[in-house]
Amino acid sequence: MSRKNIAVLIGMLLLGGGIFAYELRSVRLSQLLREIYRLNPWWLLAAAGCMALYWVMEALVVKLLLKGRVERFSFKNALRIPLVEQLFNSLTPFSSGGQPAQLVALMQSGVDGGRASSLLLMKFIVFQAMVLLNFILTLVFGFKLVAAKFTYLAWLVVFGFIIHLVVITTLLLIMYWYNFTKALVRLLLRPLHWFMKAERVTKLALTLNQKIDNFHRESLRIKNQTGMLIKASLLTFIQLVFYYSVPYFVLLALGLHPNFFEVLVMHIMIVMIISLFPIPGGSGGAEISFRALFATFVAVNSKLVLAMILWRIMTYYLGMFIGMFALVIKPDRVKEIDQS
């Protein structure tokens, strides 16, 4: 990790501590200690287990997409990818650092940079598609719940959905309408000539075209392997269900008995809201949305604040710290399979 990343890490820990302290300002220490003492450790272990299975599922997706491309890509190598991704997602605005961090981790294992980049783009589009699918299923089967619970946060959820939809639409355009996408990029770059030097615009156009070409070339291979794509989508869907289930087990640990489906719906909405906040990890927005949405499940303020803290530790800080260990683990070198 660079000095800048270490500084951001310290900053995020301080910010998180500040947010927790602010949320605890109205909670008496005796109440908080009593709630902590009453926690069921087995349900907390189940919540942590959901996060572990979330990373395991993503590791299986990585192994699946690399099948036939490299020899003996170990599970240790595969598991290292989502953990490194989790760390750098936690340290960068809009989780933008996760993709390049995964690319470096794959290249450290011996995977060709171009192939690794294309693979990560394909993994990304599958992930975004499953996030959208989960959201759509939530609206279809839980519309009444959503309409009843959401008030001022509703527009944030819709905006988050639009962003995810635009991202996946762009990637699908590259996959299925390659020539149209190239023409669209040229059209969108034209206004840049008004306030940027021609050399910079040309360089940007070249970079974008290379990325489009690489992704399109890899997508042709993936599209011809429908079975593998279906398996990757199924694994990713299961991966997300594990992640969305974390607050359910946290609430059980607090002695509450919420409806599993309702908790799942609320957490899916929170994920959509978090994606809008530019602060690493969606700090601030994550805590506010959790308190607003789960207040209907938790009537006691001390329980609600503790639930928010435990949920945040499980879904954000746990991955950050495990990712630091994964970063220093030396990967096993692999050999590319000759495709000629």
Side-chain angles (χ1 to χ4, degrees):
M1 288 177 66
S2 65
R3 289 184 179 180
K4 180 181 177 181
N5 286 330
I6 293 173
V8 173
L9 173 63
I10 294 171
M12 293 313 300
L13 292 176
L14 291 174
L15 177 60
I19 292 172
F20 291 164
Y22 179 79
E23 293 291 347
L24 288 167
R25 74 194 187 283
S26 58
V27 178
R28 292 172 58 184
L29 181 61
S30 58
Q31 284 181 309
L32 181 65
L33 292 175
R34 187 160 51 247
E35 296 296 350
I36 293 174
Y37 178 76
R38 292 174 178 173
L39 283 173
N40 186 322
W42 295 108
W43 287 127
L44 280 182
L45 190 62
C50 283
M51 285 305 302
L53 289 169
Y54 170 79
W55 296 317
V56 167
M57 289 295 111
E58 187 167 347
L60 293 176
V61 171
V62 172
K63 278 186 67 70
L64 178 67
L65 294 177
L66 278 174
K67 188 177 181 181
R69 312 292 283 185
V70 297
E71 293 180 353
R72 295 186 297 275
F73 190 81
S74 66
F75 182 74
K76 182 186 87 172
N77 278 2
L79 186 58
R80 185 171 176 264
I81 304 304
L83 292 176
V84 170
E85 174 194 15
Q86 184 86 20
L87 170 61
F88 285 92
N89 276 347
S90 302
L91 300 178
T92 51
F94 297 114
S95 301
S96 56
Q99 286 291 102
Q102 290 179 88
L103 177 60
V104 172
L106 284 168
M107 291 174 66
Q108 287 175 338
S109 301
V111 181
D112 173 72
R115 183 165 293 166
S117 179
S118 299
L119 176 146
L120 290 174
L121 280 171
M122 189 56 61
K123 183 167 79 75
F124 178 72
I125 194 172
V126 169
F127 185 85
Q128 291 297 319
M130 291 304 102
V131 168
L132 280 176
L133 178 61
N134 274 277
F135 182 80
I136 292 169
L137 290 175
T138 294
L139 291 181
V140 171
F141 295 104
F143 179 77
K144 289 183 179 179
L145 174 66
V146 173
K149 305 283 186 183
F150 283 95
T151 52
Y152 63 93
L153 290 176
W155 67 272
L156 289 176
V157 175
V158 173
F159 193 38
F161 173 74
I162 291 172
I163 289 176
H164 282 82
L165 184 62
V166 169
V167 169
I168 195 170
T169 300
T170 301
L171 295 175
L172 288 173
L173 281 173
I174 299 172
M175 288 179 67
Y176 294 101
W177 292 281
Y178 173 72
N179 293 327
F180 171 77
T181 305
K182 298 272 276 195
L184 183 61
V185 167
R186 287 195 297 270
L187 181 64
L188 293 175
L189 288 177
R190 283 182 183 176
L192 296 183
H193 287 280
W194 301 341
F195 50 87
M196 288 176 62
K197 291 182 179 179
E199 295 81 4
R200 288 188 63 188
V201 177
T202 301
K203 185 178 180 181
L204 178 61
L206 182 61
T207 301
L208 288 174
N209 283 324
Q210 285 177 342
K211 290 183 179 297
I212 290 172
D213 291 341
N214 288 337
F215 177 72
H216 181 69
R217 187 161 49 249
E218 187 67 15
S219 69
L220 291 176
R221 182 185 74 84
I222 297 294
K223 283 192 297 183
N224 292 329
Q225 299 185 38
T226 308
M228 184 175 70
L229 195 58
I230 292 173
K231 288 178 183 177
S233 299
L234 181 60
L235 286 171
T236 304
F237 185 86
I238 296 171
Q239 172 195 0
L240 287 169
V241 170
F242 280 127
Y243 179 77
Y244 293 141
S245 302
V246 170
Y248 175 74
F249 292 107
V250 167
L251 294 179
L252 287 179
L254 286 164
L256 303 170
H257 299 88
N259 179 282
F260 177 73
F261 177 73
E262 290 185 357
V263 173
L264 221 63
V265 168
M266 292 301 165
H267 201 195
I268 290 172
M269 298 301 167
I270 289 175
V271 171
M272 283 291 172
I273 293 172
I274 291 175
S275 66
L276 298 175
F277 286 82
I279 301 173
S283 294
E287 291 82 2
I288 291 171
S289 56
F290 185 93
R291 287 208 62 179
L293 298 180
F294 280 91
T296 53
F297 295 99
V298 190
V300 181
N301 186 51
S302 58
K303 282 184 182 287
L304 179 60
V305 173
L306 183 56
M308 182 271 293
I309 292 173
L310 292 172
W311 163 75
R312 196 64 171 146
I313 289 172
M314 292 291 180
T315 59
Y316 182 62
Y317 295 102
L318 181 62
M320 183 188 291
F321 285 110
I322 295 177
M324 285 191 285
F325 286 103
L327 190 65
V328 298
I329 292 175
K330 186 178 180 180
D332 303 319
R333 295 289 294 181
V334 298
K335 182 180 178 182
E336 294 254 347
I337 296 175
D338 188 4
Q339 302 291 318
S340 58

